[in-house]
């Protein structure tokens, strides 16, 4: 038996596909007909632009996206914390100001490696 999350996502996808079809249908009607739509308040004609989608298509597309997002979030289950259990918090001592934090980086490892290999390599002579 599918859960509600498995039903919300396909409904959102179908809604987005319907909004795309509605936008294409709207553009085809505007380009094939030369109908002037009158504004009843001012008795002037409204010039409709076929490059802009109508308001209902925008609302339908946003609604479909939100339905897909909610469906996928419900399907995946509970959120887990980002910080793992093995990580340590890096904090500065109380007596030191918060101008900088101390972090463990590769610099210590690289300096130890340089010390160990310092006497093993001969310097390059440029033919002098």
């Amino acid at each position: 038996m599918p859960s509600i999350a498995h039903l919300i996502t396909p409904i959102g996808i179908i809604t987005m596909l319907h909004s795309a079809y509605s936008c294409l249908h709207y553009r085809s009607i505007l380009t094939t007909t030369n109908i002037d739509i009158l504004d009843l308040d001012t008795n002037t004609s409204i010039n409709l632009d076929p490059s802009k989608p109508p308001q209902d298509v925008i609302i339908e597309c946003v609604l479909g996206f939100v339905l897909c997002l909610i469906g996928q979030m419900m399907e995946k289950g509970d959120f887990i914390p980002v910080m793992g259990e093995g990580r340590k918090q890096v904090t500065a001592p109380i007596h030191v100001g918060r101008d900088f934090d101390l972090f463990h980086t590769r610099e210590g490892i690289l300096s130890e490696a340089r010390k160990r290999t310092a006497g093993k390599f001969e310097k390059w002579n440029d033919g002098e």
Side-chain angles (χ1 to χ4, degrees), residues 4-26:
I4 194 161
H6 291 287
L7 297 175
I8 290 177
T9 302
I11 290 173
I13 292 171
I14 291 170
T15 305
M16 289 181 70
L17 290 174
H18 182 266
S19 68
Y21 179 76
S22 296
C23 187
L24 290 174
H25 183 69
Y26 170 78

Side-chain angles (χ1 to χ4, degrees), residues 26-102:
Y26 170 78
R27 286 183 183 176
S28 69
I29 288 175
L30 286 182
T31 56
T32 57
T33 61
N34 292 327
I35 299 173
D36 288 334
I37 299 176
L38 293 176
D39 187 5
L40 297 177
D41 294 333
T42 61
N43 285 335
T44 58
S45 65
I46 299 173
N47 193 7
L48 296 175
D49 187 12
S51 66
K52 295 180 182 176
Q55 194 71 24
D56 63 333
V57 169
I58 295 171
I59 292 170
E60 192 174 6
C61 190
V62 169
L63 179 69
F65 174 74
V66 169
L67 284 174
C68 288
L69 182 68
I70 290 172
Q72 287 299 306
M73 287 174 61
M74 287 173 58
E75 187 176 329
K76 297 303 176 193
D78 295 334
F79 291 112
I80 58 173
V82 175
M83 296 242 344
E85 296 173 4
R87 293 186 67 171
K88 295 189 300 186
Q89 284 287 72
V90 177
T91 57
I94 296 173
H95 64 279
V96 176
R98 294 293 296 181
D99 293 339
F100 63 92
D101 288 329
L102 300 174

